[in-house]
């Protein structure tokens, strides 16, 4: 693929993705200030002020970097936002893993049964976990940036 087309598509892709990240962070802030919580299907948006602020700023970093993805500064901003999202996603997945090991309070024994263990992975999940696979194309841009740099000079 032509590098100019590739980075043009990347600008649109990460720009749209940043809107979803900003929206999820804004919703966490909104639910914190209104005292509600949203859960539908596999999506769960908890009320959190610090987490919502960081996720919103992560989306702003991604949007600022997507607008100038052809430069190393823009690519670094998008990569920073993706790494921040990965940290939040791994934290959420670790929480699911650790809560699936221990049984419910009324159950006997130290460890959860197999059905109880597997039922913990049904969801719902935080928005960062759902958005995690959509950040993986950043590796295509990181890997090919050195070769594509010659085109932009």
């Amino acid at each position: 693929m032509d590098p100019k087309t590739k980075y043009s598509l990347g600008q649109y892709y990460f720009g749209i993705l940043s809107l979803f990240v900003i929206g999820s962070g804004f919703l966490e802030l909104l639910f914190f200030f209104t005292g509600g919580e949203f859960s539908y299907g596999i999506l769960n948006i908890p009320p959190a002020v610090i987490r919502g602020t960081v996720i919103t700023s992560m989306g702003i970093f991604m949007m600022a970097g997507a607008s100038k993805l052809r430069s190393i500064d823009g690519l670094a901003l998008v990569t920073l936002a993706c790494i921040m999202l990965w940290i939040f996603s791994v934290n959420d997945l670790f929480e699911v893993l650790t809560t699936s090991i221990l049984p419910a309070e009324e159950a006997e024994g130290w460890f959860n049964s197999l059905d109880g263990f597997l039922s913990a992975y049904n969801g719902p999940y935080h928005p960062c976990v759902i958005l995690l696979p959509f950040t993986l194309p950043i590796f295509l841009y990181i890997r090919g940036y050195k070769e594509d740099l010659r085109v932009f000079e």
Side-chain angles (χ1 to χ4, degrees):
M1 179 183 287
D2 180 38
K4 291 184 179 183
T5 306
K6 176 179 155 183
Y7 282 90
S8 178
L9 287 173
Q11 286 177 333
Y12 289 118
Y13 179 80
F14 288 111
I16 293 169
L17 183 63
S18 69
L19 292 176
F20 283 105
V21 174
I22 290 171
S24 67
F26 179 73
L27 286 175
E28 286 190 15
L29 286 172
L30 180 72
F31 290 135
F32 176 77
F33 291 121
T34 60
E37 184 172 345
F38 178 77
S39 184
Y40 180 77
I42 63 167
L43 179 64
N44 179 27
I45 302 177
V49 68
I50 294 177
R51 179 185 170 95
T53 306
V54 172
I55 291 174
T56 304
S57 65
M58 175 188 330
I60 293 170
F61 288 158
M62 190 178 290
M63 184 176 283
S67 65
K68 52 184 179 177
L69 189 63
R70 294 179 182 177
S71 70
I72 192 70
D73 298 332
L75 185 64
L77 274 174
V78 173
T79 305
L80 172 73
C82 289
I83 290 171
M84 289 170 67
L85 192 113
W86 297 337
I87 290 170
F88 274 84
S89 299
V90 168
N91 184 26
D92 294 338
L93 290 173
F94 185 70
E95 178 187 0
V96 170
L97 174 72
T98 55
T99 57
S100 68
I101 294 173
L102 296 176
E105 291 182 12
E106 64 273 354
E108 295 180 11
W110 289 68
F111 295 108
N112 208 352
S113 65
L114 182 61
D115 293 335
F117 179 78
L118 294 177
S119 69
Y121 295 97
N122 289 339
Y125 295 106
H126 295 273
C128 289
V129 176
I130 295 172
L131 292 173
L132 173 70
F134 298 106
T135 61
L136 295 179
I138 193 65
F139 288 117
L140 297 174
Y141 294 94
I142 293 171
R143 187 176 52 121
Y145 187 77
K146 191 172 184 180
E147 291 85 27
D148 296 340
L149 185 63
R150 294 187 305 263
V151 176
F152 299 124
E153 291 179 348

